[in-house]
Amino acid sequence: MTTDLVADTDGRLPRSFERAASSVALAGLAALAVAMGVGRFAFTPILPMMQADAGLSVAAGGWLASANYLGYLAGSVAAIRMRLAPETAIRSGLLGIGIATLGMGFASGIALWIALRALAGIASAWVLIFVSAWCLERLAAARRPVLASTVFAGVGAGIAAAGVVCLVLMQRQLASADAWIVLGTLSLLVTGVIWPVFGSREAGRGAARERGERRRWDGDAVRLILCYGAWGFGYIIPATFLPMLAREVVQDPAVFGWAWPIFGTASVAATFAAAGCSRFVGNRRLWALSHVTMAAGVILPVIWPGILAVMCAAFLVGSTFMVATMTGMQEARNVHGAGAKALMAAMTSAFALGQILGPVLVSSLASRSGGFRSGLVAACALLLMSAYALARPRPAPHGPDER
């Protein structure tokens, strides 16, 4: 199932090509749903549950979040020079996420939880990076932006699904351990379904192509890395604390529990909408616009306190979350072609570093001001500065897929 996708010379797409492209896109969607919706972000909707039934303190929750962030950073840095075949990295990452998530439901004690969340972070980084490179390479010939959007919509779909699962479990007054077990089981089931798509029949060919296409990083590549890191800093604060802000306003889980599903659903819808917009404004301008929109969502709870503002912020941040990921990964491929995996890994490493520094700044500012809102202001400012950097004129593209 890993055959290269090549269109006819006259530009028409045979049915076999269409079926293969659709299979690749759907497998990418499912893989990113597991990697990001569960491996990375399941902790966000489960955090209030663990605080309620496991007595998890804010400090302990910070340690668990930091372990996942550090694992994500370690996995991203390792992927820059990793020689592992993409198919093997994807399969290993998916298995690691399922096992680590399932283990959270059976383990007890902060030390084991920290280790499992770190493992999930490493595995999630591998899946995001290698799935992005693997799918974009195989879908390039189709020249259908909706296929790439389908892949990256998996993140929002996974976030929404994990949020709904936790919402249902909260309403039924089940424990946080049950949520981890359910999500871990679902992750392993999804992995089993898409396992054949990431087959090994041509394992190594993508890695060989990447070595042949590897390019030196220039100033434009560094700009992408820095802006992607700024986005990681700017988004992590609302992504981590929106459910907590909602709970501060409304204690009923039937209300505050919807913050995370709204975030994920908005992300899915915006990802597909962005496919059409990119044809008119280009990937990089769309990426810059997503930073501006996210900045508006970040600052909204500061200037307009209340549950409605939190829900609007969840929509605005969620609607731009995967647009930035998708356009960022596509720009990496535009700049470095088939050898973009290393650049994608470097961008993801910068993102991971930004999301580690974000909560640290929030904790520092919160100790002085007594709340999260000063951190939101800082995130908004950095997002606007990175949007300006992205909007500046860029060099002529080197990749084959600029559209």
Side-chain angles (χ1 to χ4, degrees):
M1 193 61 238
T2 57
T3 55
D4 293 334
L5 303 180
V6 180
D8 290 342
T9 55
D10 61 1
R12 292 180 300 175
L13 303 180
R15 289 186 177 180
S16 59
F17 179 94
E18 290 280 3
R19 287 194 296 269
S22 298
S23 178
V24 166
L26 291 174
L29 180 151
L32 292 188
V34 170
M36 307 304 284
V38 177
R40 285 286 291 111
F41 299 120
F43 180 64
T44 297
I46 294 179
L47 175 58
M49 300 174 69
M50 296 185 73
Q51 288 176 318
D53 63 50
L56 190 72
S57 66
V58 174
W63 280 108
L64 290 180
S66 297
N68 190 258
Y69 301 156
L70 287 171
Y72 194 71
L73 175 60
S76 302
V77 172
I80 296 175
R81 296 292 183 182
M82 189 177 290
R83 296 293 185 266
L84 200 62
E87 297 84 357
T88 303
I90 293 168
R91 285 176 162 184
S92 300
L94 291 172
L95 280 178
I97 292 165
I99 293 171
T101 304
L102 194 62
M104 287 290 294
F106 293 103
S108 60
I110 189 68
L112 280 176
W113 287 343
I114 286 175
L116 289 170
R117 290 307 292 157
L119 174 61
I122 294 171
S124 298
W126 287 6
V127 175
L128 174 67
I129 293 165
F130 284 96
V131 164
S132 297
W134 190 88
C135 289
L136 289 178
E137 178 183 350
R138 281 155 181 77
L139 296 175
R143 300 190 181 280
R144 290 177 56 194
V146 70
L147 292 175
S149 296
T150 299
V151 174
F152 290 102
V155 177
I159 289 173
V164 169
V165 167
C166 292
L167 180 62
V168 170
L169 294 178
M170 280 191 293
Q171 291 176 338
R172 297 188 178 185
Q173 297 184 336
L174 294 177
S176 58
D178 297 318
W180 288 116
I181 291 171
V182 169
L183 292 176
T185 302
L186 289 174
S187 298
L188 291 174
L189 289 174
V190 171
T191 298
V193 171
I194 63 177
W195 188 272
V197 180
F198 301 107
S200 59
R201 185 155 55 116
E202 295 184 11
R205 288 187 59 187
R209 278 192 295 269
E210 180 195 336
R211 286 192 293 270
E213 293 281 346
R214 187 168 293 158
R215 299 176 186 270
R216 297 182 63 182
W217 293 352
D218 56 11
D220 193 43
V222 172
R223 175 169 31 165
L224 297 186
I225 293 170
L226 292 176
C227 289
Y228 208 72
W231 170 64
F233 180 96
Y235 114 91
I236 193 60
I237 296 173
T240 300
F241 296 110
L242 273 178
M244 296 178 66
L245 288 172
R247 193 177 184 184
E248 287 180 358
V249 180
V250 178
Q251 295 296 315
D252 185 0
V255 179
F256 78 75
W258 280 106
W260 201 235
I262 288 174
F263 184 101
T265 302
S267 179
V268 173
T271 303
F272 285 107
C277 295
S278 64
R279 294 183 176 182
F280 301 101
V281 299
N283 284 329
R284 194 166 300 201
R285 288 180 181 175
L286 187 59
W287 183 4
L289 181 60
S290 71
H291 279 222
V292 174
T293 305
M294 184 176 288
V298 167
I299 202 65
L300 190 58
V302 177
I303 61 178
W304 183 28
I307 188 62
L308 183 59
V310 172
M311 293 302 177
C312 289
F315 177 81
L316 289 173
V317 175
S319 65
T320 54
F321 169 64
M322 276 318 296
V323 174
T325 300
M326 179 179 68
T327 52
M329 293 295 102
Q330 288 175 329
E331 277 300 290
R333 179 168 172 78
N334 289 341
V335 171
H336 275 201
K341 189 269 292 180
L343 178 56
M344 291 178 180
M347 291 168 61
T348 307
S349 299
F351 173 92
L353 183 59
Q355 69 178 4
I356 290 172
L357 296 177
V360 171
L361 176 65
V362 169
S363 299
S364 176
L365 294 175
S367 65
R368 300 177 184 179
S369 63
F372 304 122
R373 286 167 176 76
S374 55
L376 294 175
V377 173
C380 175
L382 189 58
L383 285 167
L384 291 176
M385 286 189 289
S386 60
Y388 171 76
L390 287 171
R392 293 179 58 195
R394 56 165 294 186
H398 297 294
D401 300 324
E402 178 71 19
R403 42 185 188 272

